Amino acid sequence: MSSKKIMKIKPCDNLFLGTGKQFIKEESTWLSTRLIPYPSVFQGAIASLMLAKNRNKRKKYIDEDDYLSDPRNYLKIGRIYLYNDKDREVYMSAPLDLFLDEYGKCHFLNIKRIDTNIICSVEGVSHLFFNEISGDSERVDGMFIKYRNFYNSYCYTQESIVVIKPSDIVSDSYKVGIQLNENHTTKEGHLYRIDLTEFKEDDEESWSYLVEYAMDDSWWDGETNQLEKGYLKLGGENKACKFWCYDIEKLLRDYSNIYNKINENEYVKILLTTPCEFKSGNWKPEFKNIEVVAAAIGKGYDIGGFDMKLKIPKPMNKAVPEGSIYILRGSDLKGKCLGEIRKIIEEENILKEETKIRLNGFSWFEVISISELQMQEVGEG
């Protein structure tokens, strides 16, 4: 039996959350940091906490090299959010078919068929997303919207959406370091800068991560689940963070009824809510019976890590970022509810084998109907 929970994680200090770039001491290096770490970072942090709380399993796994006692076999990571204590709002990555005009108002990008006489750098799609308003504008890469705005406004193509930028959430923070020679002088070519993630805080406002997770209760060998509140370590420097565990309903409203909606045409939209690794190895998923009509995607991620057991870097994998949008078309998508369509998409076997079951928090997505207005823009041709 698995218990589904949500963990609120509040850093006690700034964090270094790596982007996948390897740190090489022999080169002058500038390492950037992520605002939200990859899901596997949270998986590792919670798994380490589970070992710290269960002495018997820790002894078997570490001292006896017992694979069956690996905490990751008992842990499933879900979606990841930001939480603002001041307004008690949950925030998620903004869908990339949105943009801001010069006044900061949010709009949807239009979808237009590619003319046959236009040379396009995006291959394999019949339509593109266009911003057709005049004046300056900005796509919402790396920005966030309210969780409730997504279900109450975005899913119904309403533009009453509030978008916040990373600069509203974190402060600029970094550290500079050098490596010294034996005579305590600076070693040439060994200067580095590391950017850090530091949430903005004042007397009223503070930010935290929210991580959905499910844990197999058999991990505790019949004892009571010991994850309630305390401290865990997160990031490249193992900084301390406070954590609290709650029932999911306490912080997240259930909007699953949206999946009962009947899709009235052959088109749907999918939104990646965590980074996704496709079996194709690139930005475009390969379906058997579904066509990818259009896509609005962000800059891909290089996801790796370090194998503590073998003491070597893990292989780098390409992932499509959260917030990316795909417009899909298929005859089987018409007349079915969104829940059934979700199952059809999952059964298409588009994900890398190791991420298909989403144990490590990658490859979560939402299915959304396309409005009549968008349908007119897409066209039936």
Side-chain angles (χ1 to χ4, degrees), residues 62-303:
I62 296 177
D63 297 340
E64 301 174 15
D65 203 22
D66 178 17
Y67 170 77
L68 296 179
S69 295
D70 187 336
R72 292 169 294 185
N73 295 330
Y74 299 78
L75 178 65
K76 181 179 179 181
I77 301 298
R79 299 168 180 84
I80 298 163
Y81 309 95
L82 292 173
Y83 184 74
N84 186 291
D85 285 297
K86 181 179 180 180
D87 56 19
R88 296 184 180 180
E89 290 280 6
V90 177
Y91 289 83
M92 59 186 285
S93 294
L96 294 182
D97 60 343
L98 298 175
F99 70 96
L100 302 178
D101 64 22
E102 58 186 324
Y103 305 105
K105 184 178 179 181
C106 185
H107 303 272
F108 282 81
L109 291 168
N110 294 327
I111 311 165
K112 299 293 183 183
R113 179 175 291 277
I114 303 172
D115 292 337
T116 55
N117 60 345
I118 293 179
I119 299 175
C120 180
S121 60
V122 181
E123 298 181 357
V125 295
S126 58
H127 294 68
L128 292 178
F129 285 93
F130 286 95
N131 166 11
E132 296 185 345
I133 69 166
S134 58
D136 295 334
S137 62
E138 181 180 10
R139 207 168 78 148
V140 296
D141 293 77
M143 301 182 196
F144 299 87
I145 65 171
K146 293 178 180 178
Y147 173 79
R148 61 183 175 88
N149 268 182
F150 172 74
Y151 291 100
N152 294 333
S153 298
Y154 178 87
C155 288
Y156 298 97
T157 325
Q158 299 174 3
E159 295 187 344
S160 54
I161 299 172
V162 177
V163 177
I164 62 171
K165 300 181 179 182
S167 57
D168 299 318
I169 303 169
V170 293
S171 303
D172 289 334
S173 181
Y174 65 90
K175 68 178 183 180
V176 176
I178 57 174
Q179 185 171 343
L180 301 179
N181 289 306
E182 294 180 357
N183 58 359
H184 301 288
T185 60
T186 303
K187 195 170 184 179
E188 185 176 355
H190 283 65
L191 174 69
Y192 64 89
R193 166 177 165 158
I194 298 178
D195 290 336
L196 300 170
T197 298
E198 184 172 11
F199 285 131
K200 287 185 174 180
E201 301 237 2
D202 58 32
D203 292 339
E204 296 182 346
E205 185 172 49
S206 62
W207 291 87
S208 306
Y209 299 112
L210 292 184
V211 182
E212 294 179 342
Y213 72 95
M215 186 181 301
D216 190 329
D217 293 333
S218 65
W219 167 262
W220 302 108
D221 297 324
E223 298 182 10
T224 303
N225 186 327
Q226 298 180 44
L227 298 191
E228 294 182 359
K229 61 180 180 178
Y231 291 86
L232 56 74
K233 293 183 178 181
L234 196 66
E237 298 174 311
N238 279 326
K239 295 286 186 71
C241 302
K242 295 180 181 179
F243 78 87
W244 300 262
C245 296
Y246 303 98
D247 292 332
I248 289 180
E249 298 78 16
K250 184 175 179 64
L251 296 177
L252 286 182
R253 182 176 175 180
D254 183 10
Y255 288 99
S256 59
N257 62 316
I258 201 169
Y259 277 91
N260 297 326
K261 182 179 179 181
I262 300 298
N263 192 53
E264 298 179 352
N265 53 65
E266 296 183 348
Y267 296 89
V268 294
K269 181 191 300 186
I270 60 172
L271 164 69
L272 305 186
T273 53
T274 61
C276 186
E277 296 180 74
F278 294 123
K279 183 184 289 187
S280 62
N282 57 37
W283 64 271
K284 184 183 177 185
E286 293 180 352
F287 295 95
K288 297 176 184 175
N289 302 307
I290 297 174
E291 175 190 359
V292 178
V293 174
I297 59 175
K299 184 178 179 181
Y301 296 147
D302 292 315
I303 298 177

